PDB file of all heavy atoms in Angstrom:
ATOM      1  N   CYS H 281      48.022 -89.209-194.025  1.00 49.00           N
ATOM      2  CA  CYS H 281      47.854 -90.087-192.882  1.00 49.00           C
ATOM      3  C   CYS H 281      48.711 -91.327-193.012  1.00 49.00           C
ATOM      4  O   CYS H 281      49.341 -91.756-192.064  1.00 49.00           O
ATOM      5  CB  CYS H 281      46.400 -90.487-192.769  1.00 49.00           C
ATOM      6  SG  CYS H 281      46.029 -91.327-191.258  1.00 49.00           S
ATOM      7  N   TYR H 426      56.718 -81.177-182.843  1.00 98.00           N
ATOM      8  CA  TYR H 426      56.271 -81.219-181.464  1.00 98.00           C
ATOM      9  C   TYR H 426      57.434 -80.712-180.625  1.00 98.00           C
ATOM     10  O   TYR H 426      58.511 -81.305-180.624  1.00 98.00           O
ATOM     11  CB  TYR H 426      55.887 -82.639-181.066  1.00 98.00           C
ATOM     12  CG  TYR H 426      54.986 -82.675-179.855  1.00 98.00           C
ATOM     13  CD1 TYR H 426      53.601 -82.545-180.012  1.00 98.00           C
ATOM     14  CD2 TYR H 426      55.492 -82.813-178.579  1.00 98.00           C
ATOM     15  CE1 TYR H 426      52.764 -82.561-178.914  1.00 98.00           C
ATOM     16  CE2 TYR H 426      54.663 -82.824-177.477  1.00 98.00           C
ATOM     17  CZ  TYR H 426      53.300 -82.699-177.647  1.00 98.00           C
ATOM     18  OH  TYR H 426      52.464 -82.716-176.546  1.00 98.00           O
ATOM     19  N   GLN H 484      61.714 -74.884-160.298  1.00 98.00           N
ATOM     20  CA  GLN H 484      60.310 -75.264-160.169  1.00 98.00           C
ATOM     21  C   GLN H 484      60.051 -76.604-160.874  1.00 98.00           C
ATOM     22  O   GLN H 484      60.874 -77.100-161.623  1.00 98.00           O
ATOM     23  CB  GLN H 484      59.429 -74.150-160.744  1.00 98.00           C
ATOM     24  CG  GLN H 484      59.692 -72.809-160.029  1.00 98.00           C
ATOM     25  CD  GLN H 484      58.642 -71.749-160.303  1.00 98.00           C
ATOM     26  OE1 GLN H 484      57.898 -71.807-161.272  1.00 98.00           O
ATOM     27  NE2 GLN H 484      58.573 -70.754-159.427  1.00 98.00           N
ATOM     28  N   ASP H 485      58.906 -77.158-160.610  1.00 98.00           N
ATOM     29  CA  ASP H 485      58.363 -78.306-161.368  1.00 98.00           C
ATOM     30  C   ASP H 485      58.921 -79.673-161.005  1.00 98.00           C
ATOM     31  O   ASP H 485      58.545 -80.652-161.655  1.00 98.00           O
ATOM     32  CB  ASP H 485      58.558 -78.124-162.878  1.00 98.00           C
ATOM     33  CG  ASP H 485      57.727 -76.983-163.417  1.00 98.00           C
ATOM     34  OD1 ASP H 485      56.668 -76.698-162.832  1.00 98.00           O
ATOM     35  OD2 ASP H 485      58.139 -76.378-164.417  1.00 98.00           O
TER      36      ASP H 485
ATOM     37  N   CYS Y 520      42.674 -91.221-190.947  1.00 49.00           N
ATOM     38  CA  CYS Y 520      43.196 -89.892-191.179  1.00 49.00           C
ATOM     39  C   CYS Y 520      42.118 -88.952-191.686  1.00 49.00           C
ATOM     40  O   CYS Y 520      42.020 -87.820-191.267  1.00 49.00           O
ATOM     41  CB  CYS Y 520      44.319 -89.973-192.181  1.00 49.00           C
ATOM     42  SG  CYS Y 520      45.237 -88.468-192.286  1.00 49.00           S
ATOM     43  N   TYR Y 665      43.952 -85.898-175.669  1.00 98.00           N
ATOM     44  CA  TYR Y 665      45.047 -85.001-175.337  1.00 98.00           C
ATOM     45  C   TYR Y 665      44.714 -84.418-173.969  1.00 98.00           C
ATOM     46  O   TYR Y 665      43.692 -83.737-173.809  1.00 98.00           O
ATOM     47  CB  TYR Y 665      45.189 -83.915-176.395  1.00 98.00           C
ATOM     48  CG  TYR Y 665      46.560 -83.275-176.379  1.00 98.00           C
ATOM     49  CD1 TYR Y 665      47.618 -83.843-177.091  1.00 98.00           C
ATOM     50  CD2 TYR Y 665      46.811 -82.123-175.650  1.00 98.00           C
ATOM     51  CE1 TYR Y 665      48.880 -83.280-177.068  1.00 98.00           C
ATOM     52  CE2 TYR Y 665      48.072 -81.551-175.616  1.00 98.00           C
ATOM     53  CZ  TYR Y 665      49.106 -82.138-176.334  1.00 98.00           C
ATOM     54  OH  TYR Y 665      50.356 -81.573-176.305  1.00 98.00           O
ATOM     55  N   ASN Y 686      52.792 -87.547-164.349  1.00 98.00           N
ATOM     56  CA  ASN Y 686      52.893 -88.979-164.019  1.00 98.00           C
ATOM     57  C   ASN Y 686      51.529 -89.654-163.926  1.00 98.00           C
ATOM     58  O   ASN Y 686      51.452 -90.861-163.717  1.00 98.00           O
ATOM     59  CB  ASN Y 686      53.644 -89.170-162.694  1.00 98.00           C
ATOM     60  CG  ASN Y 686      55.093 -88.761-162.815  1.00 98.00           C
ATOM     61  OD1 ASN Y 686      55.721 -88.966-163.855  1.00 98.00           O
ATOM     62  ND2 ASN Y 686      55.630 -88.163-161.770  1.00 98.00           N
ATOM     63  N   GLN Y 723      53.938 -72.458-158.562  1.00 98.00           N
ATOM     64  CA  GLN Y 723      55.012 -72.501-159.546  1.00 98.00           C
ATOM     65  C   GLN Y 723      54.470 -72.228-160.953  1.00 98.00           C
ATOM     66  O   GLN Y 723      53.266 -72.209-161.186  1.00 98.00           O
ATOM     67  CB  GLN Y 723      55.707 -73.863-159.477  1.00 98.00           C
ATOM     68  CG  GLN Y 723      56.248 -74.141-158.062  1.00 98.00           C
ATOM     69  CD  GLN Y 723      57.231 -75.294-157.990  1.00 98.00           C
ATOM     70  OE1 GLN Y 723      57.296 -76.143-158.847  1.00 98.00           O
ATOM     71  NE2 GLN Y 723      58.028 -75.306-156.928  1.00 98.00           N
ATOM     72  N   ASP Y 724      55.372 -71.969-161.868  1.00 98.00           N
ATOM     73  CA  ASP Y 724      55.104 -71.928-163.315  1.00 98.00           C
ATOM     74  C   ASP Y 724      54.486 -70.643-163.836  1.00 98.00           C
ATOM     75  O   ASP Y 724      54.169 -70.567-165.030  1.00 98.00           O
ATOM     76  CB  ASP Y 724      54.183 -73.081-163.757  1.00 98.00           C
ATOM     77  CG  ASP Y 724      54.849 -74.427-163.602  1.00 98.00           C
ATOM     78  OD1 ASP Y 724      56.077 -74.484-163.713  1.00 98.00           O
ATOM     79  OD2 ASP Y 724      54.132 -75.411-163.386  1.00 98.00           O
TER      80      ASP Y 724
END
Side-chain angles (χ1 to χ4, degrees):
Chain H
C281 190
Y426 200 86
Q484 302 194 340
D485 293 332
Chain Y
C520 192
Y665 200 86
N686 293 324
Q723 303 194 340
D724 294 330

